[in-house]
Amino acid sequence: MAQAAQDLEDLLADLDRAASTNGAKVSVGEIMDTIGKRSFGPLLLLGGLLGMTPVSAVPTAPTIIALITLLVSVQLLFGRESVWIPRFLEKLSVKADRVKKTVKVSRKPARIVDRLVKPRLEALTRPWADRVVALVCMLVAMVVPPLELLPFVAFVPSMAIATFGLGLIARDGLLVLTAFVISTTALGLAAWKFLLS
């Protein structure tokens, strides 16, 4: 059974392992098997990170990542012990080299972030708070598809989701609070786009 990532560097190591051991392409299912299907925080963090990296430049990739994030969030909200995703999503794949490149450019920032993250404001990381986080992640994931059409704007909801994921992993309530603020910005951008269309 895969051990849940304890920080951002752990998650990148898992992602690099998945990309290095599954041939020229790595599927969503293979990544999830490497990370562990009980790992809600790491899976949210991964979805957010991928939405902020070169992987998101692949057409429709942000929408697919958002759909997976939505599925993970719904299951966290309802208290499932492990994550289930449909077979057709598990089979989706991306070039392993693209994933490795994403890991490579992320390692240095990850080391800096991991030094800053620590358990604090732990009232915001208890099980009731996890449900609130799940609900907000669902809302934020749903605004990614319309924002995908605007250059660089889909970065904002992805950042919110990644911050929530890291907050859950590290039990860092300050990060969770920060993610709520970023989420408000993402939802505001979505409302602005809706009003202009």
Side-chain angles (χ1 to χ4, degrees), residues 13-122:
D14 286 344
L15 192 55
D16 188 55
R17 187 163 61 254
S20 300
T21 57
N22 289 291
K25 288 191 172 186
V26 58
S27 71
V28 170
E30 288 162 344
I31 290 171
M32 288 185 69
D33 285 342
T34 303
I35 292 171
K37 292 187 178 182
R38 291 176 180 266
S39 308
F40 287 89
L43 288 170
L44 287 175
L45 174 56
L46 178 62
L49 283 178
L50 291 177
M52 296 162 61
T53 61
V55 171
S56 66
V58 177
T60 73
T63 296
I64 293 167
I65 293 167
L67 179 57
I68 293 169
T69 300
L70 182 61
L71 285 168
V72 171
S73 302
V74 167
Q75 291 171 73
L76 176 60
L77 178 65
F78 288 102
R80 275 185 62 93
E81 290 188 1
S82 61
V83 179
W84 170 87
I85 62 169
R87 188 79 177 155
F88 78 93
L89 283 178
E90 279 196 339
K91 288 183 176 180
L92 293 175
S93 62
V94 65
K95 288 181 180 177
D97 285 345
R98 191 180 288 268
V99 175
K100 288 178 189 175
K101 181 180 177 184
T102 294
V103 170
K104 186 176 180 181
V105 301
S106 302
R107 282 195 190 277
K108 192 171 182 179
R111 281 194 290 273
I112 296 168
V113 169
D114 282 342
R115 287 193 204 106
L116 300 173
V117 173
K118 59 187 177 183
R120 54 192 159 184
L121 298 179
E122 293 186 52

Side-chain angles (χ1 to χ4, degrees), residues 112-191:
I112 296 168
V113 169
D114 282 342
R115 287 193 204 106
L116 300 173
V117 173
K118 59 187 177 183
R120 54 192 159 184
L121 298 179
E122 293 186 52
L124 294 175
T125 66
R126 292 191 179 134
W128 68 265
D130 288 353
R131 304 295 194 272
V132 177
V133 165
L135 186 59
V136 176
C137 283
M138 287 166 57
L139 293 172
V140 172
M142 286 189 282
V143 305
V144 169
L147 293 181
E148 183 181 349
L149 304 173
L150 300 174
F152 308 111
V153 176
F155 182 90
V156 178
S158 296
M159 187 192 307
I161 292 164
T163 307
F164 274 129
L166 189 55
L168 292 182
I169 292 171
R171 291 294 157 196
D172 188 335
L174 183 58
L175 269 184
V176 171
L177 200 56
T178 302
F180 280 122
V181 174
I182 300 169
S183 298
T184 302
T185 303
L187 295 171
L189 286 169

